[in-house]
Amino acid sequence: MAPKKSQEPRAWQRMLSGRRLDLLNPSPLDIEIEDIAHGLARVARWNGQTRGDHAFSVAQHCLLVEALLLHAEDNLDRGARLAALLHDAPEYVIGDMISPFKAALGLDYKAFEHKLLAAIHLRFGLPARTSDALGRKIKKADQVAAYLEATQLAGFSLEEAARFFGRPSGLDGARGFHSLRPLAPNDAEAAYVRKFKQLL
């Protein structure tokens, strides 16, 4: 016997933690860091078009952005660093859409993404909205991460990556930024949770 069709389409997702996240009205109470880490470790950056035995995950990207932010400004408090770690956390639910596709979808997509990020921030004791100053710093670290990923993993030339993301400075001699290596999903997930616990 076929199941009855409900009047409204399902607008929630069940997480492995057992939480049921309402996608249209996300509650901080339904957000768990383990679900975020598990999802982000299985979402590929660059639509999976990267070198290596595994995809370079959004979880690894977030770890890279947090490390780059700390490298640029080593006196940041843990809250700022946690905001950097969580900057792409909504992608555990909505996936990582490449920037050109986000632009094509328009503002409704961005509003949805911001609403979910606000709930994530509140769940972990951060202001719902990141300050403009911190937002700019995270965005800059995000662009540096994109440049490093593009040139080391995604097949971009240095000139092409510089045109799209800007050429970063201040990384000469910095450890860990010049040899990106995609991790297996379980390893990326574990690293993300470790960093979260360190910052929390």
Side-chain angles (χ1 to χ4, degrees):
M1 182 173 168
K4 291 181 180 178
K5 285 192 173 183
S6 62
Q7 300 286 17
E8 296 291 326
R10 179 169 67 90
W12 55 265
Q13 180 176 346
R14 184 168 306 283
M15 302 296 166
L16 286 179
S17 66
R19 297 289 188 188
R20 192 171 87 165
L21 182 67
D22 183 335
L23 303 179
L24 300 179
N25 190 27
S27 167
L29 297 176
D30 291 324
I31 294 166
E32 299 291 347
I33 194 61
E34 291 80 9
D35 292 330
I36 292 173
H38 184 83
L40 294 184
R42 287 155 179 80
V43 175
R45 290 274 291 166
W46 308 95
N47 277 346
Q49 298 299 309
T50 51
R51 300 183 183 100
D53 293 335
H54 305 284
F56 190 80
S57 69
V58 175
Q60 275 193 268
H61 166 75
C62 291
L63 288 163
L64 178 59
V65 169
E66 187 274 335
L68 286 163
L69 183 67
L70 182 61
H71 176 77
E73 206 164 326
D74 62 5
N75 62 343
L76 286 173
D77 63 31
R78 289 184 180 200
R81 294 172 60 193
L82 183 58
L85 184 70
L86 294 170
H87 81 280
D88 277 341
E91 294 177 9
Y92 89 106
V93 173
I94 58 180
D96 182 28
M97 295 187 195
I98 59 174
S99 296
F101 193 49
K102 286 182 183 179
L105 288 176
L107 292 178
D108 286 347
Y109 172 85
K110 294 302 289 182
F112 173 77
E113 191 176 34
H114 290 154
K115 190 173 188 180
L116 182 52
L117 184 58
I120 291 167
H121 275 201
L122 292 174
R123 169 65 177 88
F124 300 118
L126 296 173
R129 185 175 179 276
T130 302
S131 71
D132 290 342
L134 178 57
R136 285 191 295 272
K137 291 174 184 176
I138 293 173
K139 183 64 179 174
K140 183 175 181 183
D142 193 35
Q143 289 176 319
V144 174
Y147 176 91
L148 294 174
E149 294 165 16
T151 54
Q152 294 181 44
L153 300 169
F156 283 59
S157 69
L158 296 179
E159 294 72 22
E160 187 180 26
R163 190 164 66 247
F164 289 115
F165 311 113
R167 191 180 303 277
S169 59
L171 295 181
D172 293 339
R175 294 176 58 193
F177 300 137
H178 301 291
S179 56
L180 300 183
R181 184 178 57 84
L183 296 174
N186 287 348
D187 294 335
E189 178 180 349
Y192 190 93
V193 171
R194 277 196 307 274
K195 178 59 69 173
F196 171 83
K197 288 180 176 178
Q198 175 193 337
L199 296 176
L200 195 65

